[in-house]
Amino acid sequence: MSAASMGAPRLVAKPSPGPVERTRARIVRYTQDVRRLFILPPLAPTRSLPAEIIITMTIIITASTAAWLRLDGVRGVMWAEDANVFTQRAATPSLQSASILTPYAGYTHSLPQLLANIIWATVRAEHVAVATTAACCVVAGMVAAAIFVLTARWPLTTWTRATVALITVLAPAVQVEVLGNLANLHWLLLWLAPFLFLYRPRSWVSACISAVAAFLVVTTEIQSLAFAPLLGLWLGERRRWPVVFAVLGGAATQVIALIGNDVTRGAGERPWAVIAQVYALQVPLTAVVGSTDGAAALIAASGWIVAAGAVVPFLLVAVALARRSTFEALLTAIFVGGSLILWVAGFGINYFEDFNYVAMSPAELVPNIQTLRYAVVPIMLLLATLAMIASRRRQRESPRLRTWFPPLIVCVTIFAIAFSSGSHGFREGGPNWRAEIATAEAQCDVHSGAYEVTISAAPTNWGVTVPCRVLDR
């Protein structure tokens, strides 16, 4: 045997992979593709802290003031459950044992009940309506500022972050029922949910604050659980665990409240084609036109093709964002998908035949159209996609821009309020709370302390019934 034949390596052909190995390889490749698609890039470096604080405080003040200004004429009117449920519980001695997690209509409403308790305990009875409106406006400002803070380490420009934050108080139709009352604070918290659930805390302090906020969000708005899958991202980061546990606890609280309660909504069959068409009217077209009345007038003049056409710009923006980066593809899926899901969850489940605007003639549509609160958060989510399309990596920002940002925020907000349109819905023209209190006190002067008086609220047949001794506190 030759030396060459003894020392030469022998080449052995590898067997071809079997079906099990091929399947395993496909699963590995698929998992890697999913991780590349749904895991965001590393956190960007933190901006200048003083500039961030100044802009955040500016957003709180400006957004709170904007919410207050958009409620001109209805600030002294109590709305629905604000009076009949939350203030009733806070004002009635026999009901004061009810906790902020006591259900109403099958759900818990922790933040509204907490604010109602604080307001009734600290404010004179005649000022409760104005104090309630002011507190809700401050909450709106804090939600806007929270969105700005929660996106601090996203690769977005400061301008984009501030624009998305101010959508909270400048979105079309938000002044109809959502702003300025406790009963609809849950819509603002629903808008906050995706930003909160995507947040990656930098310290245990911020993790605990986020967990408290998440618990309040979920125990106030059960629909926020639609964004709960976002908590599955970065579970390896231990600082996200408090938020996960808070959401699970809030979800358990809502499920317990739901069990044994009749939460039947809507009536009759759900015509999904109508639901889709009304979505085009109430969400994309209203977002473009600025008011539901204007959108209805356009449809009455030109037909439903106008509503379908309003969907096209948002689809083009979504496609453009999805092609730019993995991060923007993820946010586009959240915002656009969330808009559709929340519309079906709100309008679809609560559908009544009165909402079948497709069956109305043009002459019937305009006077009978309602600005539906189910559309507000879907509108906000679509507007967020428009804000993102103008964003660029913040490394291109001019440092001088931060100096001019606070006055820019104020000017843009004032301009938007000056040109905003739309009514305040059923709350407009409602009974003035302070006058109602004066009437109730006059009745109490005639009767004994055990006599009960009713303080009316909007809409009709809503109000608070309390004994006279409560007003004499």
Side-chain angles (χ1 to χ4, degrees):
M1 183 180 294
S2 66
S5 62
M6 292 179 60
R10 301 180 63 184
L11 298 177
V12 179
K14 292 183 178 180
S16 60
V20 175
E21 288 77 10
R22 288 197 298 271
T23 303
R24 185 183 295 117
R26 290 194 190 99
I27 292 174
V28 170
R29 287 197 302 271
Y30 175 75
T31 304
Q32 291 173 346
D33 291 341
V34 170
R35 288 178 59 84
R36 280 195 295 269
L37 179 61
F38 289 105
I39 293 185
L40 300 187
L43 292 176
T46 308
R47 285 179 175 86
S48 169
L49 186 58
E52 288 287 294
I53 293 175
I54 292 173
I55 297 174
T56 301
M57 296 305 299
T58 302
I59 289 176
I60 291 177
I61 296 171
T62 305
S64 301
T65 305
W68 177 265
L69 293 176
R70 294 196 73 177
L71 296 171
D72 184 28
V74 297
R75 300 175 193 130
V77 178
M78 288 286 276
W79 172 254
E81 288 91 347
D82 290 23
N84 202 49
V85 178
F86 306 125
T87 300
Q88 182 76 65
R89 287 177 177 175
T92 307
S94 61
L95 297 179
Q96 287 177 352
S97 59
S99 73
I100 64 172
L101 298 180
T102 300
Y104 161 68
Y107 307 108
T108 61
H109 308 267
S110 60
L111 184 59
Q113 189 62 65
L114 176 63
L115 291 177
N117 293 348
I118 294 173
I119 291 168
W120 186 261
T122 58
V123 177
R124 290 178 60 87
E126 61 265 32
H127 302 309
V128 164
V130 173
T132 298
T133 301
C136 294
C137 290
V138 171
V139 170
M142 295 181 68
V143 167
I147 290 172
F148 182 78
V149 171
L150 292 171
T151 56
R153 303 186 79 180
W154 288 12
L156 299 176
T157 62
T158 305
W159 177 255
T160 302
R161 292 169 52 215
T163 302
V164 173
L166 289 174
I167 288 173
T168 307
V169 294
L170 298 180
V174 73
Q175 82 283 358
V176 175
E177 286 189 45
V178 175
L179 288 182
N181 65 86
L182 299 171
N184 287 289
L185 276 182
H186 61 99
W187 297 112
L188 298 181
L189 300 191
L190 180 60
W191 160 240
L192 174 65
F195 301 95
L196 183 59
F197 294 170
L198 281 172
Y199 179 58
R200 300 165 71 181
R202 291 172 287 178
S203 67
W204 283 108
V205 173
S206 59
C208 293
I209 294 173
S210 303
V212 172
F215 185 77
L216 284 175
V217 166
V218 177
T219 54
T220 300
E221 174 52 274
I222 193 171
Q223 291 182 89
S224 61
L225 294 175
F227 297 106
L230 300 178
L231 297 169
L233 301 172
W234 319 294
L235 275 180
E237 298 180 6
R238 289 182 296 173
R239 291 193 184 99
R240 279 178 60 82
W241 294 356
V243 175
V244 174
F245 293 140
V247 170
L248 291 175
T253 303
Q254 289 284 21
V255 169
I256 292 172
L258 191 63
I259 295 175
N261 287 276
D262 181 13
V263 291
T264 303
R265 297 288 187 269
E269 295 290 331
R270 268 70 175 178
W272 295 108
V274 172
I275 290 173
Q277 284 182 274
V278 178
Y279 170 83
L281 161 63
Q282 290 274 343
V283 182
L285 188 57
T286 299
V288 172
V289 175
S291 72
T292 308
D293 295 337
L298 277 177
I299 290 178
S302 304
W304 281 91
I305 190 65
V306 175
V311 178
V312 175
F314 292 98
L315 288 178
L316 295 177
V317 168
V319 172
L321 285 173
R323 291 169 60 89
R324 286 207 320 204
S325 70
T326 303
F327 169 77
E328 287 159 312
L330 173 61
L331 287 188
T332 302
I334 294 170
F335 292 154
V336 176
S339 178
L340 294 170
I341 291 171
L342 294 181
W343 172 257
V344 172
F347 180 77
I349 294 175
N350 293 278
Y351 178 81
F352 286 91
E353 189 59 33
D354 291 344
F355 295 155
N356 189 357
Y357 302 124
V358 179
M360 295 181 183
S361 67
E364 296 173 326
L365 182 62
V366 176
N368 291 314
I369 194 73
Q370 295 182 42
T371 300
L372 300 175
R373 61 187 181 273
Y374 313 118
V376 172
V377 178
I379 286 174
M380 291 177 172
L381 292 169
L382 287 190
L383 291 178
T385 62
L386 291 185
M388 286 178 52
I389 195 65
S391 69
R392 289 292 183 269
R393 297 293 179 178
R394 61 183 177 184
Q395 286 80 357
R396 301 180 184 179
E397 290 181 3
S398 169
R400 190 176 300 174
L401 179 62
R402 295 193 188 102
T403 305
W404 290 98
F405 222 83
L408 278 175
I409 290 173
V410 174
C411 292
V412 169
T413 303
I414 293 174
F415 178 83
I417 294 173
F419 287 90
S420 64
S421 60
S423 68
H424 297 97
F426 296 110
R427 194 176 175 187
E428 200 163 36
N432 181 275
W433 176 267
R434 189 168 186 174
E436 291 291 318
I437 289 290
T439 302
E441 288 176 340
Q443 295 176 11
C444 289
D445 290 340
V446 178
H447 299 85
S448 63
Y451 183 77
E452 289 188 340
V453 291
T454 299
I455 308 157
S456 298
T460 307
N461 299 325
W462 291 77
V464 182
T465 301
V466 294
C468 287
R469 63 178 180 274
V470 171
L471 296 181
D472 293 335
R473 62 196 174 102

